[in-house]
Amino acid sequence: MEQEAQRFFTESEQQVLEEILLHRRDVRGNHFKKDPIAEEDINRILQAALAAPSVGFSQPWEFVIIHDEETKKEVRASFQEENEKALAQFSDEKQQKYIRLKLEGITESPLNIAVFYKPKNEPVLGQTSMPNMGKYSVVCAIQNMWLMARSLNIGMGWVSILDPEKVKEIINAPKENQLIGYLCFGYTDKFYNKPELEIKKWDYKKLQHEVVIQEKYNNQ
């Protein structure tokens, strides 16, 4: 049986991947353009998702493509309701910074995609001890979408300030499905060179030595 040739990558290809990783950004509504995204590019983003790793090769994802403006408005209403609740959890300077942030682009972006975890009704290889591995697989698919979109110079924003059950109701999702990501896609007038929340001093960028532990935690 003839063995298939393995694909190896050149240094220049590795550098391109590094550039894409470093320049991936969460794009907000004040930077989305209304220009429609070509169907070919939407398919490339979806194919990137389908290439993601999944626990036990379970591929536990489903994607709802949303262009309809009324649907977007309904989802945005959920955002506005949840955003008011979120604002109340911050105080003083953080609350003032929060007010000034633009945290979604649901109606401004030409394309929304709701990404769901669809659980199986049987044991999944590799998921028996860590049941959340299926959801993590869906997150891997979303990361692939983000990177492919960035390589196509298309912005993506991940909206997490939503009531997932209301979103499910709006788009008639099956009861067993769990919303993992509500994503906004569109061409943008600006990709920041650094994360926007770093630029606006919401928090600082952690350095490698702050988060890497050698061998074991030292709890003394």
Side-chain angles (χ1 to χ4, degrees), residues 16-28:
V16 169
L17 175 59
E18 184 177 18
E19 286 289 309
I20 294 169
L21 290 168
L22 292 174
H23 288 88
R24 180 210 53 78
R25 292 290 173 265
D26 191 17
V27 177
R28 314 294 170 78

Side-chain angles (χ1 to χ4, degrees), residues 51-182:
S54 65
V55 62
F57 199 52
S58 57
Q59 304 159 82
W61 39 60
E62 289 187 337
F63 308 85
V64 181
I65 309 298
I66 302 165
H67 291 101
D68 182 71
E69 295 301 325
E70 290 306 313
T71 301
K72 292 178 186 178
K73 287 176 183 177
E74 288 187 60
V75 174
R76 190 171 190 277
S78 173
F79 164 81
Q80 290 172 320
E81 186 177 336
E82 295 301 315
N83 197 44
E84 287 297 319
K85 297 176 188 176
L87 176 61
Q89 297 183 48
F90 298 95
S91 58
D92 304 328
E93 184 184 354
K94 278 282 189 182
Q95 190 175 77
Q96 292 308 307
K97 283 186 176 182
Y98 190 103
I99 291 169
R100 293 192 294 270
L101 292 172
K102 172 68 171 170
L103 296 174
E104 52 80 36
I106 297 166
T107 56
E108 294 94 337
S109 59
L111 171 67
N112 292 183
I113 301 181
V115 186
F116 287 92
Y117 166 63
K118 188 176 187 67
K120 287 184 177 291
N121 294 322
E122 57 192 40
V124 175
L125 174 66
Q127 196 172 323
T128 51
S129 297
M130 298 179 68
N132 284 329
M133 287 299 296
K135 296 173 191 175
Y136 301 157
S137 300
V138 180
V139 173
C140 288
I142 292 173
Q143 176 76 337
N144 275 15
M145 297 170 80
W146 221 335
L147 296 174
M148 178 56 76
R150 185 62 184 90
S151 76
L152 296 168
N153 298 312
I154 294 170
M156 187 192 111
W158 185 337
V159 186
S160 59
I161 307 171
L162 292 169
D163 181 330
E165 293 304 314
K166 284 187 178 178
V167 174
K168 284 174 62 174
E169 183 179 343
I170 291 166
I171 59 180
N172 300 321
K175 183 179 179 180
E176 68 272 15
N177 281 21
Q178 296 180 44
L179 181 70
I180 301 299
Y182 193 90

Side-chain angles (χ1 to χ4, degrees), residues 4 19 26 40 56 60 108 152 155 161 198-199 209 214 217:
E4 291 185 19
E19 286 289 309
D26 191 17
E40 177 185 354
E108 294 94 337
L152 296 168
I161 307 171
E198 180 183 2
I199 293 170
H209 75 268
Q214 299 294 337
Y217 280 93

